[in-house]
Coordinates of all heavy atoms in Angstrom, one line a residue:
F1 N -11.3 10.4 -17.0 CA -11.8 9.5 -15.9 C -11.1 8.2 -16.0 O -10.6 7.6 -15.0 CB -13.3 9.4 -16.1 CG -13.8 8.3 -15.2 CD1 -14.0 8.5 -13.8 CD2 -14.2 7.1 -15.7 CE1 -14.5 7.5 -13.0 CE2 -14.7 6.1 -14.9 CZ -14.9 6.3 -13.5
F2 N -11.0 7.6 -17.2 CA -10.5 6.2 -17.4 C -9.0 6.2 -17.1 O -8.5 5.3 -16.5 CB -10.7 5.7 -18.8 CG -12.2 5.3 -19.0 CD1 -13.0 6.1 -19.8 CD2 -12.7 4.3 -18.3 CE1 -14.3 5.7 -20.0 CE2 -14.1 3.9 -18.5 CZ -14.8 4.7 -19.3
S3 N -8.3 7.3 -17.4 CA -6.9 7.4 -17.1 C -6.7 7.4 -15.6 O -5.8 6.7 -15.0 CB -6.2 8.6 -17.7 OG -4.9 8.8 -17.3
F4 N -7.4 8.2 -14.9 CA -7.4 8.2 -13.4 C -7.7 6.9 -12.8 O -7.0 6.4 -11.9 CB -8.3 9.3 -12.9 CG -8.4 9.4 -11.4 CD1 -7.3 9.9 -10.7 CD2 -9.4 8.9 -10.7 CE1 -7.3 10.0 -9.3 CE2 -9.5 8.9 -9.3 CZ -8.4 9.5 -8.6
F5 N -8.8 6.2 -13.3 CA -9.2 4.9 -12.8 C -8.1 3.9 -13.0 O -7.7 3.1 -12.1 CB -10.5 4.5 -13.4 CG -10.9 3.1 -13.1 CD1 -11.5 2.9 -11.8 CD2 -10.7 2.1 -13.9 CE1 -11.9 1.6 -11.5 CE2 -11.1 0.8 -13.6 CZ -11.7 0.6 -12.4
N6 N -7.6 3.9 -14.2 CA -6.5 2.9 -14.6 C -5.3 3.1 -13.7 O -4.7 2.1 -13.3 CB -6.2 3.1 -16.1 CG -5.6 1.9 -16.7 OD1 -5.7 0.8 -16.1 ND2 -5.0 2.0 -17.8
Q7 N -4.9 4.3 -13.5 CA -3.7 4.6 -12.6 C -4.0 4.1 -11.2 O -3.1 3.5 -10.6 CB -3.5 6.1 -12.6 CG -2.3 6.5 -11.8 CD -2.1 8.0 -11.8 OE1 -3.0 8.8 -12.1 NE2 -0.9 8.5 -11.3
N8 N -5.1 4.3 -10.7 CA -5.4 3.8 -9.3 C -5.4 2.3 -9.2 O -4.9 1.8 -8.3 CB -6.8 4.3 -8.9 CG -6.8 5.8 -8.4 OD1 -5.7 6.3 -8.0 ND2 -7.9 6.4 -8.5
V9 N -5.9 1.6 -10.2 CA -5.9 0.2 -10.3 C -4.4 -0.3 -10.3 O -4.1 -1.2 -9.5 CB -6.7 -0.4 -11.5 CG1 -6.4 -1.9 -11.6 CG2 -8.1 -0.1 -11.3
H10 N -3.6 0.3 -11.1 CA -2.2 -0.1 -11.1 C -1.5 0.2 -9.8 O -0.7 -0.7 -9.4 CB -1.4 0.7 -12.3 CG -1.8 0.1 -13.6 ND1 -1.4 -1.1 -14.0 CD2 -2.5 0.7 -14.6 CE1 -1.8 -1.3 -15.3 NE2 -2.5 -0.3 -15.7
C11 N -1.8 1.2 -9.1 CA -1.2 1.5 -7.8 C -1.6 0.4 -6.8 O -0.8 0.0 -6.0 CB -1.6 2.9 -7.3 SG -0.8 4.2 -8.2
I12 N -2.9 0.1 -6.8 CA -3.4 -1.0 -5.9 C -2.7 -2.3 -6.2 O -2.2 -3.0 -5.3 CB -4.9 -1.1 -6.0 CG1 -5.6 0.2 -5.4 CG2 -5.4 -2.3 -5.3 CD1 -7.0 0.3 -5.7
I13 N -2.5 -2.7 -7.4 CA -1.9 -3.9 -7.8 C -0.4 -3.9 -7.4 O 0.1 -4.8 -6.8 CB -2.0 -4.2 -9.3 CG1 -3.5 -4.5 -9.6 CG2 -1.1 -5.3 -9.8 CD1 -3.8 -4.6 -11.1
D14 N 0.3 -2.8 -7.7 CA 1.7 -2.6 -7.4 C 1.9 -2.7 -5.9 O 2.9 -3.3 -5.4 CB 2.3 -1.3 -7.9 CG 2.4 -1.3 -9.5 OD1 2.3 -2.4 -10.0 OD2 2.5 -0.2 -10.0
L15 N 1.0 -2.0 -5.1 CA 1.2 -2.1 -3.6 C 0.9 -3.5 -3.1 O 1.7 -4.0 -2.3 CB 0.1 -1.2 -3.0 CG 0.5 0.3 -3.0 CD1 -0.7 1.2 -2.6 CD2 1.7 0.6 -2.0
A16 N -0.1 -4.2 -3.7 CA -0.3 -5.6 -3.2 C 0.9 -6.5 -3.5 O 1.3 -7.3 -2.7 CB -1.6 -6.1 -3.9
L17 N 1.4 -6.3 -4.7 CA 2.6 -7.2 -5.1 C 3.8 -6.8 -4.2 O 4.5 -7.8 -3.8 CB 3.0 -6.9 -6.6 CG 2.0 -7.5 -7.6 CD1 2.4 -7.0 -9.0 CD2 2.1 -9.0 -7.5
L18 N 4.0 -5.6 -3.9 CA 5.1 -5.2 -3.1 C 5.0 -5.8 -1.7 O 5.9 -6.4 -1.2 CB 5.1 -3.7 -2.9 CG 6.2 -3.1 -2.0 CD1 7.6 -3.3 -2.5 CD2 6.0 -1.6 -1.8
F19 N 3.8 -5.8 -1.1 CA 3.6 -6.3 0.3 C 3.6 -7.8 0.3 O 4.2 -8.4 1.2 CB 2.4 -5.8 0.9 CG 2.6 -4.4 1.4 CD1 1.9 -3.3 0.8 CD2 3.4 -4.1 2.5 CE1 2.1 -2.0 1.3 CE2 3.6 -2.8 3.0 CZ 3.0 -1.8 2.4
F20 N 3.0 -8.5 -0.7 CA 3.0 -9.9 -0.8 C 4.4 -10.5 -1.1 O 4.7 -11.6 -0.7 CB 2.0 -10.5 -1.8 CG 0.6 -10.6 -1.2 CD1 -0.3 -9.6 -1.4 CD2 0.3 -11.7 -0.4 CE1 -1.6 -9.8 -0.9 CE2 -1.0 -11.8 0.1 CZ -1.9 -10.9 -0.1
S21 N 5.3 -9.7 -1.7 CA 6.6 -10.1 -2.0 C 7.5 -9.8 -0.8 O 8.7 -10.3 -0.8 CB 7.2 -9.3 -3.2 OG 6.5 -9.6 -4.3
N22 N 7.1 -9.1 0.2 CA 7.9 -8.7 1.4 C 7.1 -9.0 2.7 O 7.0 -8.1 3.6 CB 8.2 -7.2 1.3 CG 9.2 -6.9 0.2 OD1 10.4 -7.2 0.3 ND2 8.7 -6.4 -0.9
I23 N 6.6 -10.2 2.8 CA 5.8 -10.6 4.0 C 6.7 -10.5 5.2 O 7.8 -11.1 5.2 CB 5.2 -11.9 3.8 CG1 4.1 -11.9 2.7 CG2 4.6 -12.4 5.2 CD1 3.5 -13.2 2.4
G24 N 6.3 -9.8 6.2 CA 7.1 -9.7 7.5 C 8.2 -8.7 7.5 O 8.8 -8.5 8.5
V25 N 8.3 -8.0 6.3 CA 9.4 -7.0 6.2 C 8.8 -5.6 6.5 O 7.8 -5.2 5.9 CB 10.0 -7.0 4.8 CG1 11.1 -6.0 4.6 CG2 10.6 -8.4 4.5
L26 N 9.5 -4.9 7.3 CA 9.1 -3.5 7.6 C 9.6 -2.6 6.4 O 10.8 -2.5 6.1 CB 9.8 -3.0 8.9 CG 9.4 -1.6 9.4 CD1 8.0 -1.4 9.5 CD2 10.2 -1.4 10.7
L27 N 8.6 -2.0 5.7 CA 8.9 -1.1 4.6 C 8.6 0.4 5.0 O 7.6 0.7 5.5 CB 8.1 -1.5 3.4 CG 8.2 -2.8 2.8 CD1 7.2 -3.1 1.8 CD2 9.6 -3.0 2.2
S28 N 9.6 1.2 4.8 CA 9.4 2.6 5.1 C 8.5 3.3 4.0 O 8.3 2.7 2.9 CB 10.8 3.4 5.1 OG 11.3 3.5 3.8
R29 N 7.9 4.4 4.4 CA 7.0 5.1 3.5 C 7.8 5.5 2.2 O 7.3 5.4 1.1 CB 6.4 6.3 4.2 CG 5.5 6.0 5.3 CD 5.0 7.2 6.0 NE 4.0 7.9 5.3 CZ 2.7 7.5 5.2 NH1 2.3 6.5 6.0 NH2 1.8 8.2 4.5
D30 N 9.1 5.9 2.4 CA 9.9 6.2 1.3 C 10.2 5.1 0.4 O 10.1 5.2 -0.9 CB 11.3 6.8 1.9 CG 12.1 7.5 0.8 OD1 11.5 8.4 0.1 OD2 13.3 7.2 0.7
E31 N 10.4 3.9 0.9 CA 10.6 2.7 0.1 C 9.4 2.4 -0.7 O 9.5 2.0 -1.9 CB 11.0 1.5 1.0 CG 12.4 1.6 1.6 CD 12.6 0.4 2.6 OE1 11.8 0.2 3.5 OE2 13.7 -0.2 2.5
I32 N 8.2 2.5 -0.1 CA 7.0 2.2 -0.7 C 6.8 3.2 -1.9 O 6.4 2.8 -3.0 CB 5.8 2.2 0.3 CG1 6.0 1.2 1.3 CG2 4.5 2.1 -0.5 CD1 5.1 1.3 2.5
F33 N 7.0 4.5 -1.6 CA 6.8 5.5 -2.7 C 7.8 5.2 -3.9 O 7.4 5.3 -5.0 CB 7.1 6.9 -2.1 CG 5.9 7.7 -1.8 CD1 5.5 7.7 -0.5 CD2 5.1 8.3 -2.7 CE1 4.3 8.4 -0.1 CE2 4.0 9.0 -2.4 CZ 3.6 9.1 -1.1
K34 N 9.0 4.9 -3.5 CA 10.0 4.6 -4.6 C 9.6 3.4 -5.4 O 9.7 3.3 -6.6 CB 11.4 4.4 -4.0 CG 12.0 5.7 -3.6 CD 13.4 5.4 -3.0 CE 14.0 6.7 -2.5 NZ 15.2 6.5 -1.7
A35 N 9.1 2.3 -4.8 CA 8.7 1.1 -5.4 C 7.5 1.2 -6.3 O 7.4 0.7 -7.4 CB 8.5 0.0 -4.4
V36 N 6.5 2.0 -5.8 CA 5.2 2.1 -6.5 C 5.2 3.3 -7.5 O 4.8 3.1 -8.7 CB 4.1 2.1 -5.5 CG1 2.7 2.3 -6.3 CG2 4.0 0.8 -4.7
W37 N 5.6 4.4 -7.0 CA 5.5 5.6 -7.8 C 6.8 6.1 -8.5 O 6.8 7.1 -9.1 CB 4.9 6.8 -7.0 CG 3.4 6.6 -6.7 CD1 2.4 7.0 -7.5 CD2 2.8 6.1 -5.5 NE1 1.2 6.6 -7.0 CE2 1.4 6.1 -5.7 CE3 3.3 5.5 -4.4 CZ2 0.5 5.6 -4.8 CZ3 2.4 5.1 -3.4 CH2 1.1 5.1 -3.6
K38 N 7.8 5.3 -8.2 CA 9.2 5.6 -8.8 C 9.7 7.0 -8.4 O 10.4 7.6 -9.2 CB 9.2 5.4 -10.3 CG 8.5 4.2 -10.8 CD 9.3 3.0 -10.4 CE 8.7 1.7 -11.1 NZ 8.1 0.8 -10.2
R39 N 9.3 7.4 -7.2 CA 9.8 8.7 -6.7 C 9.8 8.7 -5.2 O 9.1 7.9 -4.6 CB 9.0 9.9 -7.3 CG 7.6 9.9 -7.0 CD 6.8 10.9 -7.8 NE 5.4 10.7 -7.6 CZ 4.6 11.5 -6.9 NH1 5.1 12.4 -6.2 NH2 3.3 11.2 -6.8
S40 N 10.4 9.6 -4.7 CA 10.5 9.7 -3.2 C 9.8 11.0 -2.8 O 10.4 12.0 -2.6 CB 12.0 9.7 -2.7 OG 12.0 10.0 -1.4
D41 N 8.5 11.0 -2.7 CA 7.7 12.2 -2.4 C 6.8 11.9 -1.2 O 5.6 11.6 -1.4 CB 6.9 12.6 -3.6 CG 6.1 13.9 -3.4 OD1 6.4 14.6 -2.4 OD2 5.2 14.2 -4.1
V42 N 7.4 11.9 -0.1 CA 6.6 11.5 1.1 C 5.8 12.7 1.6 O 5.0 12.6 2.6 CB 7.5 11.0 2.3 CG1 6.8 10.1 3.2 CG2 8.7 10.3 1.7
S43 N 5.9 13.8 1.0 CA 5.2 15.0 1.5 C 3.7 14.8 1.3 O 2.9 15.3 2.1 CB 5.6 16.3 0.7 OG 5.3 16.1 -0.7
N44 N 3.3 14.0 0.3 CA 1.8 13.8 0.1 C 1.5 12.4 0.7 O 1.1 11.5 0.0 CB 1.5 13.8 -1.4 CG 0.0 13.7 -1.6 OD1 -0.8 13.7 -0.7 ND2 -0.4 13.7 -2.9
S45 N 1.7 12.3 2.0 CA 1.5 11.0 2.7 C 0.1 10.5 2.7 O -0.2 9.3 2.8 CB 2.0 11.1 4.1 OG 1.3 12.0 4.8
R46 N -0.9 11.4 2.6 CA -2.3 10.9 2.6 C -2.6 10.1 1.3 O -3.5 9.2 1.4 CB -3.2 12.1 2.6 CG -3.2 12.9 3.9 CD -3.4 12.1 5.2 NE -4.6 11.4 5.2 CZ -4.9 10.4 6.0 NH1 -4.1 10.0 6.8 NH2 -6.1 9.8 5.9
A47 N -1.9 10.3 0.2 CA -2.2 9.5 -1.0 C -1.8 8.1 -0.7 O -2.5 7.2 -1.1 CB -1.3 10.1 -2.1
L48 N -0.7 7.9 0.0 CA -0.3 6.5 0.3 C -1.3 5.9 1.2 O -1.7 4.7 1.0 CB 1.1 6.5 1.0 CG 1.6 5.2 1.4 CD1 1.7 4.2 0.3 CD2 3.0 5.3 2.1
D49 N -1.7 6.6 2.3 CA -2.7 6.1 3.2 C -4.0 5.7 2.5 O -4.6 4.7 2.8 CB -3.0 7.1 4.3 CG -1.8 7.4 5.1 OD1 -0.9 6.5 5.2 OD2 -1.7 8.5 5.7
T50 N -4.4 6.5 1.6 CA -5.7 6.3 0.8 C -5.5 5.0 0.0 O -6.4 4.2 -0.1 CB -6.0 7.5 -0.1 OG1 -6.2 8.6 0.7 CG2 -7.2 7.2 -0.9
H51 N -4.4 4.9 -0.7 CA -4.2 3.7 -1.6 C -4.1 2.4 -0.7 O -4.6 1.3 -1.1 CB -2.9 3.8 -2.4 CG -3.2 4.7 -3.6 ND1 -4.0 4.4 -4.7 CD2 -2.7 5.9 -3.9 CE1 -4.0 5.3 -5.6 NE2 -3.2 6.3 -5.1
L52 N -3.5 2.5 0.5 CA -3.4 1.3 1.3 C -4.7 1.0 1.9 O -5.0 -0.2 2.1 CB -2.4 1.6 2.5 CG -0.9 1.6 2.0 CD1 0.0 2.0 3.2 CD2 -0.5 0.3 1.4
H53 N -5.6 1.9 2.1 CA -7.0 1.6 2.6 C -7.7 0.9 1.5 O -8.4 -0.1 1.7 CB -7.7 2.9 2.9 CG -9.2 2.7 3.2 ND1 -9.6 2.2 4.3 CD2 -10.2 3.0 2.4 CE1 -10.9 2.1 4.3 NE2 -11.3 2.6 3.1
R54 N -7.5 1.3 0.2 CA -8.1 0.6 -0.9 C -7.6 -0.9 -1.0 O -8.3 -1.8 -1.4 CB -7.9 1.4 -2.2 CG -8.7 2.6 -2.2 CD -8.4 3.4 -3.5 NE -9.2 4.6 -3.5 CZ -8.8 5.7 -4.1 NH1 -7.6 5.8 -4.7 NH2 -9.5 6.8 -4.0
V55 N -6.3 -1.0 -0.8 CA -5.7 -2.4 -0.9 C -6.3 -3.3 0.2 O -6.7 -4.4 -0.1 CB -4.2 -2.3 -0.7 CG1 -3.6 -3.7 -0.5 CG2 -3.5 -1.7 -1.9
R56 N -6.4 -2.7 1.4 CA -7.1 -3.5 2.5 C -8.5 -3.9 2.1 O -8.9 -5.0 2.3 CB -7.1 -2.7 3.7 CG -5.8 -2.6 4.5 CD -6.0 -1.9 5.8 NE -4.8 -1.8 6.5 CZ -4.1 -0.6 6.7 NH1 -4.6 0.5 6.1 NH2 -3.0 -0.6 7.4
S57 N -9.3 -3.0 1.6 CA -10.7 -3.3 1.3 C -10.8 -4.1 0.1 O -11.6 -5.1 0.1 CB -11.5 -2.0 1.2 OG -11.1 -1.2 0.1
K58 N -10.1 -3.9 -1.0 CA -10.2 -4.7 -2.2 C -9.8 -6.1 -2.0 O -10.4 -7.0 -2.6 CB -9.4 -4.1 -3.4 CG -9.9 -2.7 -3.8 CD -11.1 -2.8 -4.6 CE -11.5 -1.4 -5.1 NZ -12.8 -1.3 -5.6
L59 N -8.8 -6.3 -1.3 CA -8.2 -7.7 -1.0 C -8.8 -8.3 0.3 O -8.4 -9.4 0.6 CB -6.7 -7.7 -1.0 CG -6.0 -7.2 -2.3 CD1 -4.5 -7.2 -2.2 CD2 -6.5 -8.0 -3.5
A60 N -9.6 -7.6 1.0 CA -10.2 -8.1 2.2 C -9.1 -8.5 3.2 O -9.2 -9.6 3.7 CB -11.2 -9.2 1.9
L61 N -8.1 -7.7 3.4 CA -7.0 -8.0 4.3 C -7.5 -7.7 5.7 O -7.8 -6.6 6.1 CB -5.8 -7.2 4.0 CG -5.2 -7.3 2.6 CD1 -4.0 -6.4 2.4 CD2 -4.8 -8.7 2.3
S62 N -7.6 -8.8 6.5 CA -8.0 -8.6 7.9 C -7.4 -9.7 8.7 O -7.1 -10.8 8.2 CB -9.5 -8.6 8.0 OG -10.0 -9.9 7.6
P63 N -7.3 -9.5 10.0 CA -6.8 -10.6 10.9 C -7.6 -11.8 10.8 O -7.1 -12.9 10.9 CB -6.9 -9.9 12.3 CG -6.9 -8.5 12.1 CD -7.6 -8.3 10.8
E64 N -8.9 -11.7 10.6 CA -9.8 -12.9 10.5 C -9.5 -13.7 9.3 O -9.7 -14.9 9.3 CB -11.3 -12.4 10.5 CG -11.8 -11.7 11.7 CD -11.4 -10.2 11.7 OE1 -11.2 -9.6 10.6 OE2 -11.3 -9.7 12.8
R65 N -9.0 -13.1 8.3 CA -8.6 -13.8 7.1 C -7.1 -14.2 7.1 O -6.6 -14.8 6.2 CB -8.9 -13.0 5.9 CG -10.4 -12.8 5.6 CD -10.6 -11.9 4.4 NE -11.9 -11.9 4.0 CZ -12.5 -12.7 3.1 NH1 -11.8 -13.7 2.6 NH2 -13.8 -12.6 2.8
G66 N -6.4 -13.8 8.1 CA -5.0 -14.2 8.3 C -4.0 -13.2 7.7 O -2.8 -13.5 7.6
F67 N -4.5 -12.0 7.3 CA -3.6 -11.0 6.7 C -3.7 -9.7 7.4 O -4.8 -9.2 7.6 CB -3.9 -10.8 5.2 CG -3.7 -12.0 4.4 CD1 -4.8 -12.7 4.0 CD2 -2.5 -12.4 4.0 CE1 -4.7 -13.9 3.2 CE2 -2.3 -13.6 3.2 CZ -3.4 -14.3 2.8
V68 N -2.6 -9.1 7.8 CA -2.6 -7.8 8.5 C -1.6 -6.9 7.9 O -0.4 -7.2 7.8 CB -2.4 -8.0 10.0 CG1 -2.4 -6.6 10.7 CG2 -3.3 -9.0 10.6
L69 N -2.1 -5.7 7.5 CA -1.2 -4.6 7.0 C -1.0 -3.6 8.2 O -1.9 -2.9 8.4 CB -1.7 -4.0 5.8 CG -0.9 -2.9 5.1 CD1 0.5 -3.4 4.7 CD2 -1.6 -2.4 3.8
R70 N 0.1 -3.7 8.9 CA 0.3 -2.9 10.1 C 1.0 -1.6 9.9 O 2.1 -1.7 9.3 CB 1.1 -3.7 11.1 CG 0.5 -5.0 11.5 CD 1.4 -5.7 12.6 NE 1.0 -7.1 12.7 CZ 0.0 -7.6 13.5 NH1 -0.7 -6.7 14.1 NH2 -0.2 -8.9 13.6
P71 N 0.5 -0.5 10.3 CA 1.2 0.7 10.3 C 2.3 0.7 11.4 O 2.0 0.2 12.5 CB 0.2 1.8 10.5 CG -0.9 1.1 11.3 CD -0.9 -0.3 10.8
V72 N 3.4 1.2 11.1 CA 4.5 1.3 12.2 C 4.7 2.8 12.3 O 5.3 3.5 11.4 CB 5.8 0.6 11.8 CG1 6.8 0.8 12.8 CG2 5.5 -0.9 11.6
Y73 N 4.2 3.4 13.4 CA 4.2 4.8 13.6 C 5.6 5.5 13.3 O 6.6 5.0 13.8 CB 3.8 5.1 15.0 CG 3.7 6.6 15.3 CD1 2.6 7.3 14.8 CD2 4.7 7.3 16.0 CE1 2.5 8.7 15.0 CE2 4.6 8.7 16.2 CZ 3.5 9.4 15.7 OH 3.4 10.7 15.9
G74 N 5.5 6.5 12.5 CA 6.7 7.3 12.2 C 7.7 6.6 11.2 O 8.7 7.2 10.9
F75 N 7.3 5.4 10.7 CA 8.2 4.8 9.8 C 7.6 4.3 8.5 O 7.9 4.7 7.4 CB 8.9 3.6 10.5 CG 10.0 3.0 9.6 CD1 11.2 3.6 9.5 CD2 9.8 1.8 8.9 CE1 12.3 3.1 8.7 CE2 10.8 1.3 8.2 CZ 12.0 1.9 8.1
G76 N 6.6 3.3 8.6 CA 6.0 2.8 7.4 C 5.0 1.7 7.7 O 4.2 1.9 8.6
Y77 N 5.1 0.6 7.0 CA 4.1 -0.5 7.1 C 4.8 -1.8 7.1 O 5.9 -2.0 6.5 CB 3.1 -0.4 6.0 CG 2.2 0.8 6.1 CD1 2.5 2.0 5.6 CD2 0.9 0.6 6.8 CE1 1.7 3.1 5.7 CE2 0.1 1.7 6.9 CZ 0.4 2.9 6.3 OH -0.4 4.0 6.4
R78 N 4.2 -2.8 7.7 CA 4.6 -4.2 7.6 C 3.4 -5.1 7.4 O 2.4 -4.9 8.0 CB 5.3 -4.7 8.9 CG 5.9 -6.1 8.8 CD 6.6 -6.5 10.1 NE 5.6 -6.7 11.1 CZ 5.7 -6.3 12.4 NH1 6.7 -5.5 12.7 NH2 4.8 -6.5 13.3
F79 N 3.6 -6.0 6.4 CA 2.5 -6.9 6.0 C 2.8 -8.3 6.6 O 3.9 -8.9 6.4 CB 2.4 -7.0 4.5 CG 1.3 -7.9 4.0 CD1 0.0 -7.6 4.2 CD2 1.6 -9.1 3.3 CE1 -1.0 -8.4 3.8 CE2 0.6 -9.9 2.9 CZ -0.7 -9.6 3.1
D80 N 1.9 -8.8 7.4 CA 2.0 -10.1 8.1 C 0.9 -11.0 7.7 O -0.2 -10.6 7.4 CB 2.0 -9.9 9.6 CG 3.2 -9.1 10.1 OD1 4.3 -9.4 9.7 OD2 3.0 -8.3 11.0
C81 N 1.2 -12.3 7.6 CA 0.2 -13.3 7.4 C 0.3 -14.4 8.5 O 1.4 -14.7 8.9 CB 0.2 -13.8 6.0 SG 1.6 -14.8 5.6
N82 N -0.8 -14.9 8.9 CA -0.7 -16.0 9.9 C -0.8 -17.3 9.3 O -1.6 -17.7 8.5 CB -1.9 -15.7 10.9 CG -1.7 -14.4 11.6 OD1 -0.7 -13.9 11.8 ND2 -2.9 -13.8 12.0

């Protein structure tokens, strides 16, 4: 249990760092997988979506707070701040 929990926390932190380091940059799903999981395995795309949902909720990323993590259909995500 703790290993799984610890791994999820690290993924959330790594994703947050990746997006905050690349504000306004369009990142492909493949680039995100390589940066966070050190592999290019886009076949399990739901894992990425699940982790990004956790990042949004843990960091309270919302337009009202000035932060938006936008999906770009068929490509990846872009993190914007106002």
Side-chain angles (χ1 to χ4, degrees):
F1 171 78
F2 289 110
S3 174
F4 175 75
F5 175 77
N6 205 15
Q7 181 183 14
N8 281 334
V9 170
H10 285 291
C11 288
I12 291 169
I13 291 169
D14 290 345
L15 281 166
L17 287 172
L18 176 67
F19 283 109
F20 275 99
S21 298
N22 292 284
I23 294 174
V25 177
L26 180 59
L27 298 172
S28 71
R29 296 177 75 82
D30 194 47
E31 289 172 312
I32 297 167
F33 263 100
K34 285 178 184 174
V36 175
W37 287 277
K38 311 296 185 242
R39 60 191 168 103
S40 171
D41 183 16
V42 204
S43 62
N44 189 3
S45 63
R46 294 305 303 163
L48 177 59
D49 298 333
T50 300
H51 284 290
L52 289 176
H53 173 75
R54 289 181 181 145
V55 167
R56 282 187 184 106
S57 65
K58 297 283 184 197
L59 300 180
L61 301 178
S62 67
E64 296 80 27
R65 294 181 169 268
F67 299 102
V68 182
L69 184 55
R70 299 181 197 280
V72 178
Y73 183 77
F75 188 77
Y77 290 87
R78 185 177 70 228
F79 182 66
D80 293 316
C81 66
N82 299 333

